[in-house]
Amino acid sequence: MRTLLVRGMLAGLVAGVLAFLWAHFVGESPVRAAIAVEEAAAPKPVPGAPVEEELVSRSTQETWGLGLGVIVFSVAIGGFLSLVFAMVYGRTSALRARGTVAAICGLGFLAIVLVPLTKYPANPPAVGSADTINERTEWFFVLIIIALVAVVAAVRLGRQLAARWGAGNATFAAGLLFVVLIAVAHLALPAQNEVRAGFPPQILWDFRLANLGTQLILWATLAFGFGIAAEHAVEGRPAWWRRDAAERSTAPTA
């Protein structure tokens, strides 16, 4: 367990660095554009009025502040991934280590990223009201919890039906259950559309795509990196680059 946890967190560290690079070089451009729109629409300051100082400067927010936040989040997700892998590997399916990691990451990306994105998508700084940020955050995490419960319920149903209905029909039934549960949650939870009229749609679109790209890089890197590390840890198989080296060293010479 300790070995898996350490490797999961290391994979999260690598994933966090790559996700930060994307967020910094791609994601910060629409953020700057949104801030420019907000500043252009703000009322002109009254001469002599006190100027409110920034608690955290923009240069800090888009460099080491952003990097620290993304990396800490990624390391935490990597550790959580290793714990989930340890609980389900060999117990819920016949998948090997890398396949199990890929399945966990795919379902995690679906429940933690894609489902909330369809109801409460990320907004740039100029969008949203400070008065409702706590409420929006609460509903966002409520939807994540519902999505995780729906994933567990769908997986359990698929396992129960696989022996009687076959893998294909069981997978379809599990997917249908997940869609129904998420649809009910979407209808039950309140809408939070705070994009003001006149806000440039291209900036909003670019920001949300960049945010989705950050998450996609994070989860894909975790699936690849921890998949190899977990395979090495639980199946006793060397990583692919070590296998290549071993095969070259044992290959017959002319």
Side-chain angles (χ1 to χ4, degrees):
M1 188 63 249
R2 179 176 176 273
T3 299
L4 288 173
L5 182 61
V6 170
R7 296 186 182 195
M9 295 176 71
L10 288 175
L13 177 63
V14 176
V17 171
L18 295 179
F20 161 68
L21 292 175
W22 172 271
H24 177 70
F25 289 107
V26 178
E28 280 300 316
S29 178
V31 171
R32 297 189 197 102
I35 292 175
V37 171
E38 184 180 31
E39 292 176 346
K44 300 297 182 183
V46 179
V51 179
E52 184 179 355
E53 296 183 359
E54 291 182 323
L55 294 178
V56 181
S57 66
R58 272 298 300 153
S59 60
T60 298
Q61 293 176 25
E62 64 186 17
T63 52
W64 68 267
L66 174 63
L68 181 62
V70 172
I71 290 173
V72 169
F73 174 77
S74 301
V75 171
I77 291 295
F80 180 72
L81 169 63
S82 66
L83 296 178
V84 175
F85 172 82
M87 289 188 293
V88 305
Y89 176 65
R91 297 182 177 90
T92 59
S93 71
L95 291 175
R96 303 290 292 271
R98 272 198 274 188
T100 302
V101 172
I104 295 172
C105 287
L107 294 174
F109 181 76
L110 175 65
I112 298 175
V113 179
L114 287 185
V115 169
L117 180 68
T118 60
K119 181 70 175 181
Y120 304 116
N123 289 324
V127 176
S129 171
D131 298 332
T132 60
I133 187 171
N134 290 333
E135 181 183 354
R136 286 183 283 125
T137 303
E138 289 171 1
W139 288 122
F140 178 83
F141 281 105
V142 167
L143 185 53
I144 290 179
I145 294 172
I146 293 174
L148 290 173
V149 172
V151 164
V152 174
V155 170
R156 289 175 63 92
L157 178 66
R159 289 186 59 202
Q160 292 173 359
L161 297 180
R164 289 179 291 171
W165 291 12
N169 292 330
T171 301
F172 178 80
L176 182 61
L177 174 65
F178 178 82
V179 171
V180 170
L181 293 176
I182 297 303
V184 172
H186 271 240
L187 294 174
L189 296 180
Q192 296 287 341
N193 183 16
E194 297 190 345
V195 180
R196 61 181 175 82
F199 187 84
Q202 188 62 51
I203 295 177
L204 187 63
W205 177 253
D206 291 343
F207 176 83
R208 289 175 175 174
L209 278 183
N211 179 72
L212 180 61
T214 301
Q215 292 288 343
L216 185 59
I217 290 172
L218 190 158
W219 288 91
T221 305
L222 278 175
F224 177 75
F226 184 65
I228 294 175
E231 179 187 48
H232 186 209
V234 302
E235 297 180 2
R237 301 177 62 187
W240 59 269
W241 60 85
R242 294 182 181 177
R243 287 204 301 269
D244 291 344
E247 290 172 358
R248 288 195 299 269
S249 65
T250 57
T253 55

